[in-house]
């Protein structure tokens, strides 16, 4: 599942998330900001997250705080993750094929007819195993706009 933890800075949102992830036996995935970090960098990090979930099959919590929102477009990508389980056009075709090949054996073991679509669907379902936690401050710079524009946020 997903969670939205709202509270002022220093109220323990990240600590609670880390404790819950530990108790559930999940890894934590958090982006690392650096100079020049942009939407393309964020998408590269999301590829790493999706590969960790889909190929490595590791239950993972994606910890995403308001401090990680460098560009407002990041929230739109997270919105896609929460509503559909996927980020459109995240993987180019050649990378998609590698992911599908990596889960093909699992599809075969499950007794599902092997097609490109069923392998992709299996990978997508595994990607939904992630728990996404967004931890904004109620008086933060993106909070007011997010409530109005993103359905999962309200």
């Amino acid at each position: 599942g997903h969670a939205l933890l709202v509270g002022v800075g220093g109220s323990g949102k990240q600590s609670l998330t880390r404790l819950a992830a530990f108790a559930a036996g999940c890894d934590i995935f958090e982006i690392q900001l650096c100079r020049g970090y942009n939407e393309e960098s964020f998408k590269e990090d999301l590829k790493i997250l999706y590969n960790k979930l889909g190929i490595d099959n590791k239950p993972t919590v994606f910890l995403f705080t308001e401090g990680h929102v460098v560009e407002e477009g990041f929230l739109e990508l997270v919105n896609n993750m929460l509503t559909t389980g996927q980020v459109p056009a995240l993987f180019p075709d050649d990378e998609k094929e590698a992911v599908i090949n990596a889960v093909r054996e699992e599809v075969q073991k499950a007794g599902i007819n092997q097609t490109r679509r069923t392998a992709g669907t299996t990978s997508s379902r595994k990607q939904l195993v992630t728990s996404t936690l967004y931890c904004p401050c109620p008086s933060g710079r993106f909070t007011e706009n997010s409530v109005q524009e993103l359905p999962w946020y309200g």
Side-chain angles (χ1 to χ4, degrees):
H2 308 292
L4 173 66
L5 303 178
V6 180
V8 296
S11 62
K13 299 179 300 279
Q14 289 186 52
S15 297
L16 180 62
T17 300
R18 292 177 193 286
L19 177 62
F22 174 77
C26 295
D27 290 346
I28 292 189
F29 183 86
E30 189 173 6
I31 63 173
Q32 300 297 317
L33 298 178
C34 60
R35 184 180 305 272
Y37 195 89
N38 58 21
E39 192 168 314
E40 207 50 47
S41 307
F42 186 52
K43 284 182 176 181
E44 287 300 316
D45 281 341
L46 291 179
K47 285 181 189 180
I48 293 167
L49 172 64
Y50 274 44
N51 282 328
K52 186 175 189 177
L53 294 164
I55 296 172
D56 300 339
N57 207 19
K58 293 185 179 183
T60 303
V61 170
F62 175 41
L63 177 58
F64 188 67
T65 69
E66 188 168 35
H68 292 125
V69 183
V70 177
E71 297 178 8
E72 208 162 336
F74 289 15
L75 291 176
E76 192 63 39
L77 294 172
V78 171
N79 183 53
N80 286 327
M81 290 173 64
L82 295 173
T83 56
T84 67
Q86 297 178 340
V87 176
L90 182 63
F91 291 97
D93 285 340
D94 59 329
E95 290 180 33
K96 272 187 206 172
E97 199 61 42
V99 170
I100 289 169
N101 288 334
V103 297
R104 186 158 287 161
E105 185 178 320
E106 185 176 340
V107 170
Q108 185 178 18
K109 284 181 184 175
I112 301 170
N113 185 24
Q114 292 185 48
T115 65
R116 189 174 196 275
R117 184 171 183 203
T118 56
T121 302
T122 300
S123 178
S124 295
R125 285 190 186 136
K126 288 169 70 175
Q127 292 165 0
L128 291 174
V129 171
T130 185
S131 295
T132 303
L133 281 103
Y134 178 52
C135 305
C137 176
S139 62
R141 60 189 174 141
F142 291 109
T143 305
E144 186 177 326
N145 290 340
S146 300
V147 169
Q148 295 170 1
E149 296 174 11
L150 302 173
W152 56 269
Y153 195 86

